[in-house]
Amino acid sequence: MNYHVWLILPQGWLSKMPTFSYKAVRHDGKGITGSQDALNIYDLESKLEQTGTVLISAKEKTAGIFARRKKITRRDVIDFYIFMEQMFVAGIPVIESLEDFRDSLDPGQFKSLINSLIGQIESGKKLSEAMAEYHKVFSPLMVELVRVGETSGELASIFGELKKTLMWQDELIAKSKKVMMYPAFVGLVVFGVLCFMMIYLVPQMVGFITEMGGELPFHTMALIAVSEFFVDYWYTLLILPLFLGGMTNVLIKKSDKARLLFDKYKLKLPWLGPILKKIILTRFSTNFALMYSSGIGVLQGLKISEGVVDNLFIAEEVEFIHTQVTEGMGISDAFARTDLFPPLVMRMMRVGEQTGGLDKSLVNVSYFFNRDVEDSIEKLQGMIEPAMTVVLGILLGWVMLSVLGPIYDLIGGIDF
């Protein structure tokens, strides 16, 4: 599954700038061609001069009225790490690697980003410093690992680990979507069947029942009332969920307190909540293990992890762990105070801390959660199908009992 990542530059220009195709000469006399986003021709010339390149000619690229710039996806970032790993293994310098990767891209936001990375590195910045400017594409975890790789000279292995981690996250996101989408689809089907019965089927049957006269039982009167509500206020049933969903989304974005409550209580939803929690903890333990094994300290790793979990409630728990470790508490003891992890996981972490193999223990924790998530998803799917059958059976039974009951009562009251 691809999640689109919108590129937001610090200056806020890139998505609005025109793109120029240009011919230029580098400082070593080599002629080059390329494309670059710039405000105008003078801005383009200035940008090229900062990289030691002299502009010869340039032309603004035009796009059709319906053309759209290609957005940056997770797959793009994965391809970037795969390519850079291969280049560093082959011993190719970073600028040449970036230029080769840029030339393989179609025009779009990611190509403009790579152009910008090249320009910043040529002006004296390190790759990690250039990547840090685009935090919507390169997370603090990625930037910090690249910085560690630059210091240790192991950038190739760092890019390889980032590639594997992102590919694993793709699978995890697919699982998350599967957890959310399948129940939502089933609920939509049940709601559609309910609307059909209450708006179309039941009114036709009710008309026949009321014409027969006689006293109607309570369940029939309840069915008639529900059907009339659906018929009279069907637009409310369609608009209200969308309105409430939109208001909730706005409130979560505007208020940290609202987001904290939302993130906390969605982890307590029946069946879904525990699975979502395991998915978040799997992501946290995997990323924390990667940072720890790469040489990033525990405190720094915990601080970075706060922005990785994508859940404000768990992020605050991680912040609490960070505070406890800062004050001198052992890592496993600090984790135990949050009640995030089950006893078996805490035992694994405690053994890893005592034996000096905490990174391996964290990898085992990630494997434990990942396997548990897969089992939980299979069980949930196995429960949803019979549950849907039961719900539909109850609805149909209610309708048939409410319709046929008065008819049988009427027939039973006839004196032959």
Side-chain angles (χ1 to χ4, degrees):
M1 178 187 71
N2 283 333
Y3 274 101
H4 289 126
V5 185
W6 288 98
L7 176 59
I8 303 176
L9 296 186
Q11 298 88 349
W13 289 352
L14 184 57
S15 60
K16 299 178 181 178
M17 288 185 186
T19 301
F20 292 87
S21 57
Y22 65 85
K23 293 181 180 180
V25 178
R26 287 197 327 203
H27 58 83
D28 58 1
K30 180 180 178 182
I32 59 173
T33 60
S35 61
Q36 172 75 40
D37 288 321
L39 290 174
N40 48 48
I41 192 72
Y42 304 106
D43 182 43
L44 174 65
E45 185 176 14
S46 175
K47 287 183 175 182
L48 293 175
E49 285 179 354
Q50 291 177 6
T51 64
T53 306
V54 179
L55 178 65
I56 298 176
S57 63
K59 183 179 180 181
E60 182 178 346
K61 292 185 177 181
T62 58
I65 188 171
F66 298 109
R68 296 178 60 187
R69 294 175 62 85
K70 185 178 181 296
K71 295 179 289 185
I72 299 175
T73 66
R74 184 179 295 272
R75 184 69 248 180
D76 291 329
V77 182
I78 292 174
D79 290 341
F80 170 72
Y81 288 133
I82 292 174
F83 188 90
M84 295 301 289
E85 178 193 14
Q86 294 172 345
M87 292 296 102
F88 277 99
V89 168
I92 299 175
V94 60
I95 293 181
E96 290 185 26
S97 300
L98 289 171
E99 288 175 342
D100 289 343
F101 182 70
R102 175 200 61 193
D103 294 340
S104 69
L105 297 174
D106 295 327
Q109 292 186 359
F110 202 36
K111 187 165 188 173
S112 299
L113 183 148
I114 300 300
N115 261 330
S116 180
L117 291 181
I118 294 170
Q120 292 187 60
I121 294 172
E122 289 181 334
S123 65
K125 286 187 176 182
K126 294 182 178 179
L127 176 61
S128 58
E129 295 171 340
M131 290 171 61
E133 296 290 329
Y134 309 106
H135 56 88
K136 294 293 182 180
V137 178
F138 303 114
S139 68
L141 168 64
M142 299 178 189
V143 173
E144 195 59 39
L145 287 172
V146 171
R147 184 176 289 117
V148 170
E150 289 171 336
T151 303
S152 63
E154 298 292 334
L155 266 177
S157 61
I158 290 295
F159 281 127
E161 291 297 328
L162 285 170
K163 169 199 67 178
K164 289 188 286 188
T165 301
L166 280 181
M167 293 175 71
W168 169 81
Q169 286 182 0
D170 250 359
E171 296 178 2
L172 198 61
I173 290 171
K175 293 175 185 176
S176 305
K177 187 176 180 180
K178 199 174 183 181
V179 169
M180 300 300 295
M181 293 301 294
Y182 191 71
F185 174 75
V186 171
L188 186 62
V189 170
V190 173
F191 181 72
V193 172
L194 180 63
C195 289
F196 171 76
M197 290 193 299
M198 294 301 170
I199 295 175
Y200 178 76
L201 186 62
V202 172
Q204 294 187 0
M205 296 181 175
V206 166
F208 173 71
I209 296 172
T210 53
E211 288 178 0
M212 294 189 308
E215 185 177 353
L216 298 176
F218 172 76
H219 53 80
T220 302
M221 295 176 62
L223 178 66
I224 294 173
V226 172
S227 177
E228 289 177 348
F229 179 82
F230 270 75
V231 172
D232 294 337
Y233 301 103
W234 61 268
Y235 53 88
T236 303
L237 296 173
L238 294 178
I239 296 175
L240 187 60
L242 297 176
F243 175 76
L244 292 177
M247 289 298 296
T248 301
N249 189 42
V250 171
L251 190 61
I252 290 171
K253 289 182 178 180
K254 296 292 183 180
S255 171
D256 288 340
K257 185 176 181 180
R259 185 189 170 193
L260 176 62
L261 290 174
F262 179 80
D263 285 349
K264 180 178 180 180
Y265 286 107
K266 76 180 181 183
L267 299 179
K268 297 182 179 181
L269 291 172
W271 302 301
L272 283 177
I275 297 178
L276 294 176
K277 182 177 179 181
K278 290 171 186 175
I279 289 174
I280 293 171
L281 293 179
T282 303
R283 186 186 306 135
F284 164 75
S285 56
T286 300
N287 289 326
F288 189 62
L290 176 60
M291 288 185 286
Y292 188 83
S293 61
S294 299
I296 297 175
V298 171
L299 292 177
Q300 189 178 2
L302 288 171
K303 198 66 180 175
I304 295 173
S305 297
E306 292 177 23
V308 173
V309 294
D310 196 27
N311 182 287
L312 191 56
F313 171 71
I314 293 184
E316 289 196 353
E317 295 294 289
V318 174
E319 184 180 9
F320 172 78
I321 294 172
H322 179 273
T323 302
Q324 297 298 306
V325 175
T326 303
E327 293 175 355
M329 183 175 292
I331 299 172
S332 58
D333 292 334
F335 273 87
R337 287 197 172 190
T338 61
D339 293 329
L340 287 178
F341 298 95
L344 175 60
V345 170
M346 293 309 310
R347 195 176 302 116
M348 293 165 62
M349 293 182 64
R350 187 170 287 109
V351 171
E353 184 180 13
Q354 292 172 353
T355 60
L358 184 59
D359 54 337
K360 295 181 181 179
S361 295
L362 288 169
V363 171
N364 291 333
V365 168
S366 174
Y367 173 76
F368 170 83
F369 278 126
N370 200 37
R371 186 183 60 185
D372 203 10
V373 166
E374 292 178 357
D375 293 341
S376 300
I377 290 175
E378 290 180 3
K379 290 178 182 178
L380 179 63
Q381 288 179 332
M383 292 171 56
I384 287 176
E385 292 176 3
M388 181 180 69
T389 303
V390 170
V391 170
L392 289 177
I394 291 173
L395 289 175
L396 289 173
W398 178 31
V399 172
M400 298 307 294
L401 179 64
S402 300
V403 172
L404 297 179
I407 295 176
Y408 281 119
D409 291 341
L410 180 63
I411 294 173
I414 297 176
D415 193 7
F416 294 99

